[in-house]
Amino acid sequence: MGAKLSGSGGGKYAVEQNSEINVTPFVDVMLVLLIIFMVAAPMAAVNVKIALPNAVAKPATNPPKPVYISIQPGGRLFIGDYTTDLAELGDTLRIQLGDKRSPEKERIYIRADKDVMYGDFMGVMNALQDNGFYSVALVGEDKKD
């Protein structure tokens, strides 16, 4: 609350109460906020108008632990970090998955070196299909700009 010194009243040092509200700081703060929002609002909006379709697909659940098969040049196979060969691929995958995960529903991720021969890659694909693993995903590296 403000006070003012006045010559009228009870003496040389009498102080009166000023009951008027000083709105100048309030107006200054509001103008600054208005300018900030006027500048920031166009930057947050997208100018391209499109009609987005409704999403009807349920979100996919991630597997408890993804299974990666890596193929090196020369045909060397790895399940995770452990080496295996083409003849044991299906049995090794079943052991690693355990009884609770079904081969028909399990997605297998294949990572192959760019210098792997096509025949080696197809051998792995055929071995997976022969052992009931039908869901296969190929892993590639994102292009770096």
Side-chain angles (χ1 to χ4, degrees), residues 67-89:
V67 178
Y68 290 99
I69 295 177
S70 301
I71 309 171
Q72 287 185 337
R76 287 190 61 195
L77 289 178
F78 293 86
I79 298 176
D81 294 332
Y82 304 104
T83 186
T84 187
D85 61 0
L86 197 57
E88 298 174 355
L89 183 63

Side-chain angles (χ1 to χ4, degrees), residues 15-63:
V15 177
E16 286 184 29
Q17 296 289 333
N18 182 4
S19 61
E20 296 177 12
I21 297 174
N22 188 0
V23 295
T24 304
F26 177 73
V27 171
D28 289 344
V29 169
M30 287 297 125
L31 286 174
V32 168
L33 288 174
L34 178 65
I35 291 170
I36 289 172
F37 286 124
M38 286 174 54
V39 170
M43 290 184 216
V46 178
N47 294 330
V48 178
K49 303 292 183 198
I50 58 171
L52 294 174
N54 294 329
V56 294
K58 295 179 183 176
T61 58
N62 292 334

Side-chain angles (χ1 to χ4, degrees), residues 141-145:
E141 189 168 347
D142 292 336
K143 183 178 178 183
K144 296 177 185 174
D145 292 325

